[in-house]
Amino acid sequence: KVAADIASASAPSVPFERIQDISSRWTHSSADGISFAIGTAGSRTVEVTLGDEVQQRHNALITGAVGQGKSNLLKVIVHSLCQRYAPNELDLFMLDFKAGVTLFPFASTPGAVDYLPHARVLGLESDRDFGVAVLKHLDAELGRRSRLFRPYGDNISKYRAAVPEAHMPRIVLIVDEFQMMFDPVDKNAEDAAQLLEGLARRGRSCGVHIILASQTISGIAALMTRENGIFAQFPIRVALKNSVGESFATLTQGNDAAARLRARGEAILNLDYGAQTANQQAVIAVADDAVLAGLQRSWWEAAKNATNAPLV
């Protein structure tokens, strides 16, 4: 009973409103990077930045065992981003390879016409062909942006400084349970691995960032030959409570900090490829559906005449 109580214990509840100002929206520019809040460490708000040319942190990896708050964390990230950045500053491409439950509220439905105005694509089913098609689309977008940037420099920041009137949002690709793209090991798995590696390597200069989330990454067969190639492009690691093996896989061999977390909703944030000396313990904010639904409705009201519903 004591073991069960410890396993089901929750971290102190941190409201989303404590880490993200919900009184004013779309106050940030994505020209030099994007940031989002995830929770607290003591009295300090814990934030993550993607695309900073000085720090060179462009992609993030998230893991957590079943029931440890991974879906909640993804909702916190999405809503923090969308509160800070207007739809013309941020494009979201989101794929869910488990059941689509996390992403379903972002789509327009007969019962709820509002949608997430920042979302361009929502993959609500475990459709691997569709996932590969999205990766191919983003790969083509990298080529388009590279050609566009060439006269002005080698990255999105220089382009936006030189052409301030240009419409050039940051793109964030979020893939939940991404390991399902590689099972079974077939042509789809090979294509997905190759495209993901290319996006992770080349996306930084073009303002394309990736957030991969999974319950397990220790046994992804299709990525084993590319493990260093892909995960070496993910300096930001967020590890919710998990097994020792998954903690090693997410962080680095010997770093079992995620296995030593005691409460659901706690996480290890590591900004240095999982190095043990870079561990930061945080309490993830709670994504209250009523609060977030109200925010999304306000975004939709403000942007419905200038945006289209996402492709689902």
Side-chain angles (χ1 to χ4, degrees), residues 25-35 49-50 81 83-86 88-90 156-157 160-161 164 166 168-170:
R25 63 172 179 260
W26 302 347
T27 57
H28 291 50
S29 167
S30 65
D32 296 314
I34 52 175
S35 64
T49 299
L50 303 176
L81 282 170
Q83 178 69 358
R84 295 181 180 198
Y85 302 96
N88 64 349
E89 293 282 343
L90 174 69
I156 186 173
S157 299
R160 288 194 54 172
M168 187 57 62
R170 295 265 172 178

Side-chain angles (χ1 to χ4, degrees), residues 17 22 31 34-35 57 61 98 126 128 131 147 152-153 166 184 192 199 201 236 245 259 263 272 280:
E17 309 93 286
I22 63 172
I34 52 175
S35 64
R57 299 183 186 118
L61 178 65
K98 56 180 193 299
S126 299
R128 298 168 73 230
R147 292 189 294 273
Y152 306 97
L199 290 171
R201 286 182 182 278
I236 300 168
D272 191 21
Q280 305 176 51

Side-chain angles (χ1 to χ4, degrees), residues 26-131:
W26 302 347
T27 57
H28 291 50
S29 167
S30 65
D32 296 314
I34 52 175
S35 64
F36 52 86
I38 62 170
T40 61
S43 60
R44 176 176 62 88
T45 297
V46 177
E47 297 203 357
V48 174
T49 299
L50 303 176
D52 185 315
E53 290 297 324
V54 176
Q55 300 295 334
Q56 288 295 317
R57 299 183 186 118
H58 301 276
N59 306 305
L61 178 65
I62 297 170
T63 63
V66 176
Q68 295 306 314
K70 179 168 60 64
S71 294
N72 172 79
L73 172 56
L74 290 175
K75 287 196 286 187
V76 168
I77 291 172
V78 168
H79 286 82
S80 181
L81 282 170
C82 293
Q83 178 69 358
R84 295 181 180 198
Y85 302 96
N88 64 349
E89 293 282 343
L90 174 69
D91 282 349
L92 295 176
F93 289 71
M94 296 185 281
L95 302 173
D96 188 341
F97 282 92
K98 56 180 193 299
V101 177
T102 305
L103 303 185
F104 187 77
F106 300 148
S108 178
T109 62
V113 296
D114 60 306
Y115 54 83
L116 184 68
H118 305 73
R120 301 294 168 260
V121 168
L122 296 174
L124 304 184
E125 304 289 342
S126 299
D127 188 330
R128 298 168 73 230
D129 290 327
F130 183 75

